[in-house]
Amino acid sequence: AQSVTQPDIHITVSEGASLELRCNYSYGATPYLFWYVQSPGQGLQLLLKYFSGDTLVQGIKGFEAEFKRSQSSFNLRKPSVHWSDAAEYFCAVGPSSGGYNKLIFGAGTRLAVHP
Amino acid sequence: KAGVTQTPRYLIKTRGQQVTLSCSPISGHRSVSWYQQTPGQGLQFLFEYFSETQRNKGNFPGRFSGRQFSNSRSEMNVSTLELGDSALYLCASSLGGSGRTDTQYFGPGTRLTVL
């Protein structure tokens, strides 16, 4: 079955510390991969995406993610967290052929940032 | 460019009623997807419309339906509301013509509360 796993439901980091949010997927073929962020009461904002090519992708707000095919992972990183990064983060996968726009989301990781 | 807009932002209905939610995609986008977000089930795909045709459907009962108009605006309808339909309903738009997963841009959502 197709699925996305975000092992950490809740993470707390200090402002200025580095961050890594984990994402693992189970999919029939290499999917397209996305990270979205959601602030309370808001919709989802796209942080970055991986379709093909360089496995290290850069996104907005200083985030990056690395696709590792052998580990079926697409972890999100940021070298120095800001208080404004506190939000919920979702990893999502979609088909790279056929299937069109049907994203499967992980359960999300809620990030808290201590001053 | 204006982003994805959803109306209304908040709705309160009672069990047994029906509701219609509206989504206006980004100008030039022809695909509109709908997702339901609940604390228990997370983000789940409802359906996708492209050029006025439903081309993808999630695992939801027939009480959930949608349509798309010639200007790409989309509506979703939920009939015979149940308490469990209380959720944030998110609409996402994308270009849609590639035959594979596009980058989807999300609206702010409609918060539906069923009493």
Side-chain angles (χ1 to χ4, degrees):
Chain A
Q2 299 167 345
S3 65
V4 177
T5 301
Q6 294 181 244
D8 305 304
I9 296 173
H10 200 142
I11 284 182
T12 301
V13 299
S14 298
E15 192 169 16
S18 63
L19 172 70
E20 182 169 26
L21 303 182
R22 296 181 291 164
C23 172
N24 292 93
Y25 64 88
S26 172
Y27 212 81
T30 300
Y32 288 174
L33 298 149
F34 305 84
W35 274 99
Y36 286 89
V37 61
Q38 185 178 37
S39 297
Q42 302 298 313
L44 302 174
Q45 181 183 21
L46 178 69
L47 285 175
L48 48 76
K49 62 190 179 187
Y50 173 78
F51 284 2
S52 64
D54 192 346
T55 57
L56 184 63
V57 294
Q58 303 297 320
I60 62 171
K61 305 185 180 188
F63 285 94
E64 67 177 27
E66 185 172 13
F67 169 59
K68 293 186 177 179
R69 186 190 307 271
S70 61
Q71 299 177 20
S72 296
S73 69
F74 189 54
N75 294 348
L76 182 71
R77 300 194 293 249
K78 186 169 184 178
S80 178
V81 170
H82 188 262
W83 65 266
S84 61
D85 293 325
E88 192 156 20
Y89 292 79
F90 293 93
C91 179
V93 301
S96 56
S97 63
Y100 307 109
N101 289 315
K102 181 178 180 179
L103 293 180
I104 299 172
F105 284 87
T109 297
R110 187 170 298 276
L111 173 66
V113 180
H114 277 318
Chain B
K1 262 186 188 178
V4 179
T5 58
Q6 291 186 245
T7 57
R9 291 293 310 277
Y10 302 92
L11 265 178
I12 300 176
K13 293 286 187 179
T14 56
R15 279 179 296 175
Q17 286 187 310
Q18 74 166 15
V19 66
T20 299
L21 313 181
S22 181
C23 172
S24 293
I26 293 169
S27 177
H29 285 191
R30 294 163 60 197
S31 168
V32 173
S33 300
W34 289 89
Y35 294 83
Q36 181 196 64
Q37 185 177 25
T38 60
Q41 299 298 316
L43 280 153
Q44 293 185 285
F45 173 80
L46 279 157
F47 30 64
E48 181 206 8
Y49 286 86
F50 176 74
S51 291
E52 302 179 66
T53 300
Q54 185 184 91
R55 67 177 182 181
N56 226 335
K57 190 177 189 310
N59 190 24
F60 278 83
R63 299 185 298 107
F64 292 82
S65 63
R67 60 177 175 169
Q68 187 179 34
F69 302 95
S70 59
N71 61 357
S72 294
R73 190 177 68 86
S74 176
E75 290 180 346
M76 68 163 281
N77 183 275
V78 188
S79 62
T80 318
L81 283 166
E82 301 176 359
L83 294 178
D85 297 332
S86 294
L88 182 66
Y89 289 88
L90 293 163
C91 160
S93 82
S94 67
L95 290 170
S98 67
R100 55 183 183 271
T101 301
D102 290 319
T103 301
Q104 293 182 53
Y105 299 90
F106 283 79
T110 295
R111 171 75 62 187
L112 171 64
T113 301
V114 182
L115 302 176

